[in-house]
Amino acid sequence: CTLATGCMAKENDRGFSVTTAVNCTATSNANNGLSAGTAIHCTASLNGGIGISGGTATNCTAQSNGSHGIQVSMLAQNNQCTSNGTGAGGGAGIAVSTERVRVDGNTCTSNDWGIQLINSNTISDAFIVRNFCANNLMAPTNGNGATGNYDFNREFQRGGGKTYGNI
């Protein structure tokens, strides 16, 4: 399917995979919820794996997924991610999987990690700006910042990344 508008995948082995998803919902699927090149105004909750994965996620909500709430390779913007990482392997509100990604204006609370860079090469090319991360469970791997809340401004700039205005 190329374009899905207003679709729902509920209680399947896997949710669904499309090129573009608009106003779609994936809930209570045993594995991943929604895979899309672009996801806009979508919701993923209670999926066993990743809630929303793909290139771009904008104005989406991911809550209580077993792995990451949202995993992107290009852009995560204005998303709400809460209580993700409920499965055995844990997960982030937003996981960044490739280089040259923009993570902008997201709220990530009560996840295992707020925003996590999966690929070690990602830090120098990530652009992370205007995000709010709080009450996440895991301490940053470098030991800086409050528990579960990464100090983006200090650490990404030191690694060559560009970050501005994160809380």
Side-chain angles (χ1 to χ4, degrees), residues 9-71:
K10 183 176 180 182
E11 298 176 355
N12 299 293
D13 179 50
R14 297 191 187 287
F16 52 97
S17 179
V18 295
T19 303
T20 302
V22 180
N23 295 320
C24 292
T25 301
T27 187
S28 300
N29 296 292
N31 292 293
N32 296 341
L34 167 64
S35 176
T38 300
I40 302 168
H41 293 286
C42 293
T43 300
S45 62
L46 302 170
N47 295 292
I50 298 169
I52 298 170
S53 64
T56 299
T58 305
N59 297 313
C60 294
T61 300
Q63 183 173 355
S64 301
N65 295 289
S67 182
H68 308 305
I70 296 173
Q71 181 172 323

